[in-house]
Amino acid sequence: MIKIAPSILSADFVNLERDIRHLSACGADYIHVDVMDGLFVPNITIGFPVLSAINGITDTPLDVHLMIDRPIRYVERFVDAGADILTLHYESDTDENTLDALKRIRNCGAKSALALKPGTPAEAVIPLLPYCDMVLIMTVEPGFGGQSFMADMMPKLEKICSWCSREQLNCEFEVDGGVSEKTARQCVQAGANVLVTGNALFRAPDIASFIQALKALEAYV
Ligand code: DX5
Ligand code: ZN
């Protein structure tokens, strides 16, 4: 099944509750929450109080994408605040700490996920994949919504998908950045089953039809 994870970075923050309720009503599978600290990426977004508030108004699972330095410091707090899936960046700490953080996410009862920036090769994360419930392939440089999709990330996605299927790992494959009605099909064909979409979704004239159109890409799996 193709899952749609709208990124609330493109939502109307003054009307965040309205927008999130609408996303759930339109069939969103996850709510994608981008957390940025101004260090790992040159932008600052939201933290614990807002995440807790979102958690209080929706039953749709929260897919929390941490773009922060040394996320191991905050794993438990993000899960307590409502993260159902917690994604760390491979580049944000040492391999040892990243492994420890992934294990701690699962121990807290959430799903663990690892994100790769465009410059990070598939080979770098392979030893960590048995500890991941999801892998996030960035199709833009993390930091901002509304950027152009990088189609040259598709071979990396294919490589990770085929490694996981060979090893019989039960993993989801998410793409994030510039995903639209035009670019989603190649993601699905390369093995993605979770599509993050911000700018394209919130600009769509009808969000429910937009989500249905992306889910219909199941035909290309
Ligand atoms: C970028 C974020 C993305 C972004 C996606 O750093 O991780 O989730 O908001 O938005 P679009 O679909 O606009 O690229
Ligand atoms: Zn994201």
Side-chain angles (χ1 to χ4, degrees), residues 9 32-46 65-71 73 78 87-93 115-118 120 136 138 140-145 147 176:
L9 208 53
H32 185 85
V33 182
D34 289 304
V35 176
M36 307 187 189
D37 67 352
L39 287 171
F40 182 70
V41 289
N43 198 5
I44 298 179
T45 54
I46 66 176
H65 178 190
L66 299 183
M67 286 159 274
I68 67 173
D69 196 40
R70 290 172 294 135
R73 298 174 291 160
F78 276 108
T87 303
L88 316 168
H89 262 270
Y90 172 74
E91 308 82 4
S92 61
D93 207 336
L116 289 78
K117 286 170 72 170
T120 301
L136 166 51
M138 290 302 299
V140 297
E141 286 297 339
F144 300 92
Q147 303 181 73
D176 183 7

Side-chain angles (χ1 to χ4, degrees), residues 69-84:
D69 196 40
R70 290 172 294 135
I72 192 167
R73 298 174 291 160
Y74 299 113
V75 162
E76 287 78 12
R77 286 188 67 190
F78 276 108
V79 176
D80 284 349
D84 295 286

